[in-house]
């Protein structure tokens, strides 16, 4: 190998404009041809092969995935489908209703109606029966009110109250309570057995139970309507877990809580309730 | 390889290699083509849309209609909801050796699942019904984990597919089959 | 070499590797969590925030900064002229830094736990997305400077072939420009408006398609500097010459062309596309193996030349004659081997049918860690070992710790990713923090996961040794600051304009992108589809 060997001009490396043009033409022809062949195979030959008796037009529609090009199997079960667990849906309209709500308008309602039990400032007069609402998520309060109204969540006390409200009023009063300042608490992790502490924060892959915090904790990322739990009274939380587990309460869409509560032991439910009851943050 | 004597020699070698590359790529096309079409897989590609916001109100994905149902004509359909952070239902019985159509959608965020030891695999994208058609060969329990990050509870989101031998396959009067994950 | 931009380049490399060191630490911790060993700070919040940070740094921050610095170095050393504007280059750098300073705090505070793929409707803090946008915009400054630098040189040197390294460098600039279009559109028109609360819903099918547009070619953006070095530095380091300059140009061009219209192979299992375009993009994906096969041949032949020049005889004797003590030669070889493993996994991934076995399993993680960590990053190490002495004017004290570091990295990669392949075939999903290893169905997964965790710690050790090697460099002897590139056996005098510029290349890319993505993107504007409600992950306090 020598650096001074004669450089013979070849098809590549020449400076003929002709070779330049042929480069452009042949690369373009190759690529266009390749795309064309792939399109014919992908849109005509393969769909046609997978089901004989399909005309090319239907085959192309199917390969494009145009809706309606494939038949959807009949669904005899749909006729006798059960009623939804809750009629609240998370749509643009619901979002708009909540974001347009006015906490100021909710004040009067909170004072006149809700305050007697839940407290005007959202701190319940009897937390074992009536949940604290201060700082609760607006979406959660709204959803429960709507479910009391529709009867998807049963309560002799709440049903008539909720039935008297418009959707706007529910959103307003939810905004009002969401804006109230809750007590400064933290989870009572030293008060309960270690296992439940892990269940609340890490979950249990063995039983398919996600951490309670993933939906109910400060950095929650689960369903919109999941309430915050910290600061509710322990007996109240325990009762709700029990109600979900026994299917007495069933306004959780797609059985999200019923499935989990059903798997918790009574001891775990009790300990979790204490954990989320919380303790003063300064402690 | 002989020492290179001139540039044309070099180009000849390159040309020979280009032929080898073409051959290798052709083999690749063949392998992929055969594996895709002889195995006759049906990736979820029929673009069926559904409003994710109102899935909970739909008839097809109503709570009572989820799970495995056998139609009067014998067709087996499994309807599943993938939601934060669970599959509904969590235990899915299917008959061994029969074609099964799985229809699944999400009311909230992107999920996905695979059924371990099978080639059933799909993304579950809110706004679409994903449909997977497959036949389960081996009887027994198969893990069905969610395989796309869907939030903090993602790791605990899994279901169980129970492949039941035909002899033991049972449905109730409505054509529904159920199973339970023991505690 | 009269013109320099040493401080600029060192700033890019320095931040890139500092971020990298943090990210491998997170990676090793994540593997410990996955192994079920319950290390400190275990919780879903910490795990997924860590995965987000690891992916964001490794995917967006480290390679972007490294490639910018690499490009500036190649530009001044090959063209032997200053950068068109040092001020704009610094402006780009500071934009990236501001972007990182916005994005990472959002991630570490748990306000942007959406993973680096940020699949909507999960939506985090707007600072995360704005930070990423700034990183991309900063890198566009680099793109502009590289194109400008080459154009200026060509004007002053009419008809002369652009130096091969610079040609590859500008190829990468154009590739990056095309690549970022998808994610930029997704972020600016879908995700950021949602994150700011201006829109309530996101069209998920469209968002996934736009992200797939970016997600595949971004890998080739990371990869191209490695290829540039294979062609223009490694043959010289081995003591030989580049077999063919033209093959290099052709490979760079084909990499740009075929890495772009293929991203939908990430969406094979998605319900929002029909089979037709999935098939087309799979066919195009196969073609992307061509430039890699060409490269393997050309570099193999170049190495053979070097081996024979050093007295190697017989069919394989030249291999032993290569100077294996030189980090560049060693890294090139290790990179090729790992590329082979990673490429094999990739062929399964891109196969329309076989993909169903392993889609979104650990197999996929194994594949892209082999390509990214094994092929790309090991060459980034070699590049740093090559460039750093030129930048600071110091020789390494010893090559031994450098070779040890490279070997540890390659071994760590194999130990980490081989178990993932096995686990992937058995159906272990990726992106999961904790498994129930008491379940007899998956109990045996734990041993393999622990093996891969050990690999993770080997990688961590190697990464820290890399940083140490760079730091000890400052105590070395004075070094020659002149950069030399490999010369081709037959240096080209003229090359076809198609291989000396990017007009034809960009025209063909435009055609291919229209064919591959025209309908798949357009369909979302006329089929009846439903957007999904934005789902915030940053509600907490």
């Amino acid at each position: 190998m020598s650096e001074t060997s004669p450089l013979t001009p070849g098809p590549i490396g020449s400076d003929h404009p002709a070779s330049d043009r042929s480069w452009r033409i042949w690369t373009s022809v190759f690529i266009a041809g390749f795309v064309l062949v792939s399109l014919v195979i992908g849109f005509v030959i393969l769909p046609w092969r997978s089901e004989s008796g399909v005309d090319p037009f239907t085959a192309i529609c199917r390969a494009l995935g145009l809706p309606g090009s494939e038949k959807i199997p009949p669904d005899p079960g749909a006729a006798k489908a059960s009623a939804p667990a809750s009629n609240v849906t998370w749509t643009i309209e619901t979002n708009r209703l909540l974001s347009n709500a006015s906490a100021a308008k909710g004040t009067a309602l909170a004072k006149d109606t809700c305050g007697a039990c839940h407290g005007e400032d959202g701190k319940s007069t009897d937390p074992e029966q009536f949940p604290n609402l201060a700082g609760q998520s607006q979406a959660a309060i709204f959803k429960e009110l709507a479910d009391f109204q529709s009867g998807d969540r049963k309560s002799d006390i709440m049903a008539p109250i909720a039935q008297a409200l418009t959707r706007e009023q529910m959103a307003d009063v939810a905004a009002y309570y969401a804006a109230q300042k809750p007590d400064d608490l933290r989870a009572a992790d030293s008060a309960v057995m270690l296992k439940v502490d892990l269940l609340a924060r890490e979950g249990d892959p063995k039983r398919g139970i996600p951490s309670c915090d993933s939906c109910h904790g400060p950095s929650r990322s689960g369903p919109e309507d999941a309430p915050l739990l910290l600061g509710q009274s322990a007996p109240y939380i325990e009762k709700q877990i029990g109600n979900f587990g026994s299917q007495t309460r069933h306004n959780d869409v797609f059985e999200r809580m019923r499935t989990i509560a059903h798997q918790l032991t009574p001891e775990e439910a009790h300990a979790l309730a204490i954990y989320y009851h919380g303790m003063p943050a300064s402690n | 390889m002989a020492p290179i004597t001139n540039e044309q020699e070099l180009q000849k070698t390159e040309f020979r290699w280009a032929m080898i590359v073409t051959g290798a790529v052709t083999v690749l096309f063949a392998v992929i083509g055969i594996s895709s079409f002889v195995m006759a897989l049906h990736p979820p590609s029929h673009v069926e849309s559904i409003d994710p916001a109102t899935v909970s109100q739909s008839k097809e994905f109503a709570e009572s209609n989820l799970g495995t149902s056998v139609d009067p004509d014998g067709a087996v359909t499994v309807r599943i909801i993938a939601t934060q952070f669970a599959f509904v239902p969590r235990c899915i019985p299917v008959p061994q050796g029969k074609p099964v159509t799985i229809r699944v959608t999400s009311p909230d965020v992107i999920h996905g699942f695979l059924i371990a030891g099978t080639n059933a695999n799909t993304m579950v994208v809110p706004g679409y019904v994903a449909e997977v058609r497959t036949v389960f060969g081996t009887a027994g329990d198969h893990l069905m984990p969610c395989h796309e990050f869907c939030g903090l509870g993602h790791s605990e989101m899994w279901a169980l597919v129970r492949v039941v031998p035909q002899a033991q396959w049972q449905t109730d009067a409505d054509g529904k089959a159920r199973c339970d994950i023991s505690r | 070499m009269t013109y320099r931009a040493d401080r600029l380049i060192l700033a890019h490399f320095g931040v890139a590797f500092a971020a990298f060191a943090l990210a491998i630490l997170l990676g090793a911790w994540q593997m410990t969590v996955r192994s079920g060993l319950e290390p400190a700070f275990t919780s879903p919040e910490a795990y997924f925030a860590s995965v987000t940070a690891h992916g964001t740094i490794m995917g967006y921050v480290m390679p972007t900064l490294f490639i910018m610095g690499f490009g500036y170095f190649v530009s001044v050393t090959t063209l032997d002229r200053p950068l068109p504007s040092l001020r704009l280059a610094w402006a780009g750098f500071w934009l990236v830094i501001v972007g990182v300073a916005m994005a990472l705090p959002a991630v570490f505070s748990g306000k942007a736990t959406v993973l680096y793929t940020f699949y909507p409707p999960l939506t985090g803090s707007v600072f995360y997305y704005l930070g990423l946008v700034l990183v991309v915009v900063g890198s566009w400054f680099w793109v502009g400077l590289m194109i400008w630098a080459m154009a200026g040189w060509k004007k002053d040197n009419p008809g002369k072939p652009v130096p091969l390294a610079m040609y590859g460098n500008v190829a990468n600039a154009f590739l990056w420009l095309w690549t970022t279009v998808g994610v930029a559109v997704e972020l600016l028109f879908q995700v950021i408006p949602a994150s700011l609360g201006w829109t309530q819903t996101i069209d998920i099918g469209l968002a996934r398609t736009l992200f797939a547009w970016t997600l595949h070619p971004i890998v080739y953006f990371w990869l191209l500097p490695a290829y540039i070095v294979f062609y223009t530095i490694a043959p010289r380091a081995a003591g030989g010459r580049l077999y063919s300059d033209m093959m290099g140009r052709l490979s760079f061009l084909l990499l740009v062309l075929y890495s772009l219209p293929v991203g939908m192979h990430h969406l094979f299992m998605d319900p929002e596309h029909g089979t037709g375009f999935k098939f087309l993009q799979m066919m195009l994906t196969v073609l992307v193996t061509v430039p890699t096969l060409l490269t393997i041949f050309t570099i193999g032949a170049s190495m053979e030349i070097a081996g024979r020049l050093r007295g190697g005889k017989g069919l394989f004797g030249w291999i032993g004659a290569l100077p294996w003590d030189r980090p560049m030669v060693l890294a090139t070889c290790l990179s090729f081997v790992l590329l082979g493993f990673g490429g094999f996994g990739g062929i399964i991934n891109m196969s329309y049918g076989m993909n169903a076995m392993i889609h979104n399993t650990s197999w996929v993680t194994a594949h892209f860690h082999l390509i990214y960590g094994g092929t790309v990053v090991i060459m980034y190490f070699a590049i740093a070992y090559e460039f750093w002495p030129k930048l600071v004017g110091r020789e390494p004290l010893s090559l031994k710790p450098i070779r040890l570091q490279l070997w540890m990295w390659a071994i760590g990669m194999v130990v980490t990713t081989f178990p993932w392949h096995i686990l992937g075939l058995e159906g272990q999903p990726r992106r999961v923090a904790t498994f129930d290893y008491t379940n007899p169905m998956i109990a045996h997964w734990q041993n393999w996961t622990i093996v891969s965790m050990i690999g993770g710690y080997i990688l961590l050790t190697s990464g820290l040794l890399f940083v140490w090697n760079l730091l000890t460099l400052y105590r070395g002897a004075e070094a020659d600051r002149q950069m030399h590139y490999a010369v081709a056996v037959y240096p080209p005098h003229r090359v076809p304009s198609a291989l000396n510029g990017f007009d034809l290349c960009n025209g063909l890319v435009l055609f291919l992108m229209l064919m591959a993505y025209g309908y798949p993107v357009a369909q979302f504007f006329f089929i009846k589809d439903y957007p999904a409600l934005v789902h915030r992950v940053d509600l907490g306090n």
Side-chain angles (χ1 to χ4, degrees), chain A residues 85-87 145-154 162-163 167:
Chain A
S86 161
N87 64 18
L145 280 172
D147 285 350
F148 282 127
Q149 185 180 56
S150 64
D152 291 326
R153 184 174 175 186
K154 303 266 185 270
Q163 276 157 11
R167 293 232 147 191

Side-chain angles (χ1 to χ4, degrees), chain A residues 3 5 7 12-13 15 20 23-24 31 38-39 42-43 63-64 66 90 95 201-202 206 218-219 221-222 224, chain C residues 38 42 44-45 200 241 246 250 257 274-277 279-280 436 438 490 493-494 496-497 515 519 533 535 540:
Chain A
E3 278 183 65
S5 62
L7 287 165
I12 299 177
D15 57 350
D20 221 60
W23 249 95
R24 285 166 186 279
I31 286 173
S38 305
L39 287 175
F43 279 92
L64 281 173
L66 282 177
W90 297 100
N95 261 12
R201 283 198 297 225
E202 293 179 32
K206 185 178 179 134
S219 52
S221 64
E224 286 83 351
Chain C
E38 295 266 338
T42 302
E45 283 88 344
Q200 310 275 317
R241 289 191 153 208
M246 204 61 71
L250 194 59
L257 212 55
T275 52
F277 284 99
F279 180 80
L280 171 67
D436 168 28
T438 62
Y490 295 99
H493 289 247
R494 295 190 80 87
S497 64
M515 294 307 289
Y519 179 86
L533 204 71
H535 199 95

Side-chain angles (χ1 to χ4, degrees), chain B residues 1-2 4-7 9-11 13-15 17-18 20-21 24-25 28-29 31-33 35-37 39 41 43-53 84 108-110 112 114 116-131 141-143 145-156 158 160, chain C residues 44-45 48 113-115 119-122 203-205 208 243-244 247 268-275 278-279 282-283 286-287 289-290 293-294 297 301 304-305 308 347 350-361 426-434 439 441-442 445 489-490 523-524 527-533 535:
Chain B
M1 194 188 293
I4 302 150
T5 47
N6 62 49
E7 199 167 355
E9 193 71 29
L10 185 147
Q11 282 173 6
T13 320
E14 280 181 349
F15 182 75
W17 178 254
I20 296 175
V21 169
V25 171
L28 214 54
F29 276 123
V31 168
I32 289 174
S35 75
S36 308
F37 308 112
M39 287 157 80
L41 294 166
S45 302
H46 70 302
V47 194
E48 178 186 346
S49 53
I50 185 169
D51 187 353
Q84 287 176 321
D108 38 49
V109 300
I110 297 173
L114 58 87
T118 75
N119 57 19
N121 193 325
T122 186
M123 299 305 301
V124 184
V125 180
Y128 299 89
V129 178
E131 193 175 291
D141 285 355
H142 298 260
L143 201 62
C146 175
H147 69 35
E148 187 55 85
F149 175 70
C150 55
L152 296 177
H154 166 57
S155 309
E156 286 77 29
W158 55 266
L160 204 63
Chain C
E45 283 88 344
F48 291 114
T113 304
V114 289
L115 307 200
Y119 289 129
L122 289 175
D203 186 325
I204 305 305
R208 280 181 73 76
Y243 187 74
S244 163
M247 276 299 198
F268 282 161
M269 294 296 138
D270 271 41
E272 75 271 14
H273 288 291
T275 52
K278 288 177 179 174
F279 180 80
M282 179 192 76
M283 294 287 278
V286 176
L287 286 185
T289 56
V290 172
L293 291 172
L294 293 181
F297 166 74
E304 182 181 345
I305 293 172
R308 294 200 189 282
I347 287 169
M350 75 175 171
S351 158
Y352 194 87
M354 286 185 278
N355 176 57
M357 280 297 291
I358 42 83
H359 174 77
N360 257 357
T361 66
E426 298 203 354
Q428 186 193 53
R430 61 190 281 214
R431 297 183 153 178
V432 167
T434 40
N439 181 343
M441 278 189 279
I442 63 167
W445 287 1
V489 175
Y490 295 99
Q523 67 164 359
F524 295 109
I527 64 168
K528 176 95 187 116
D529 65 342
Y530 301 89
L533 204 71
H535 199 95

Side-chain angles (χ1 to χ4, degrees), chain C residues 284-301:
Chain C
L284 288 163
T285 309
V286 176
L287 286 185
V288 88
T289 56
V290 172
T292 296
L293 291 172
L294 293 181
T295 301
I296 290 170
F297 166 74
T298 309
I299 302 311

Side-chain angles (χ1 to χ4, degrees), chain B residues 28-171:
Chain B
L28 214 54
F29 276 123
V31 168
I32 289 174
I34 290 166
S35 75
S36 308
F37 308 112
V38 173
M39 287 157 80
L41 294 166
H42 299 279
S45 302
H46 70 302
V47 194
E48 178 186 346
S49 53
I50 185 169
D51 187 353
T54 54
V55 165
S56 64
Q57 315 292 308
S58 80
K59 293 270 180 223
E60 179 175 5
F61 292 98
E63 272 179 34
S64 67
N65 204 36
L66 296 175
T68 312
S69 46
V70 182
D71 292 345
D73 63 354
V76 183
T77 308
V78 181
R79 293 186 178 79
I80 304 171
I81 284 287
T83 181
Q84 287 176 321
F85 298 103
F87 291 105
V88 191
R90 284 194 62 215
C91 188
I92 299 158
V94 290
Q96 186 183 11
K98 281 182 97 177
V100 174
T101 303
I102 301 173
R103 289 172 57 77
V104 51
T105 192
S106 160
D108 38 49
V109 300
I110 297 173
H111 303 272
F113 68 76
L114 58 87
I115 302 173
T118 75
N119 57 19
N121 193 325
T122 186
M123 299 305 301
V124 184
V125 180
Y128 299 89
V129 178
E131 193 175 291
V132 182
R133 278 169 270 165
T134 190
V135 177
F136 293 96
T138 10
D141 285 355
H142 298 260
L143 201 62
M144 181 179 125
C146 175
H147 69 35
E148 187 55 85
F149 175 70
C150 55
L152 296 177
H154 166 57
S155 309
E156 286 77 29
M157 180 168 170
W158 55 266
L160 204 63
V161 172
R162 184 160 292 164
V163 182
V164 180
Q166 300 246 0
Q168 293 156 33
W169 178 250
Q170 282 179 338
T171 57

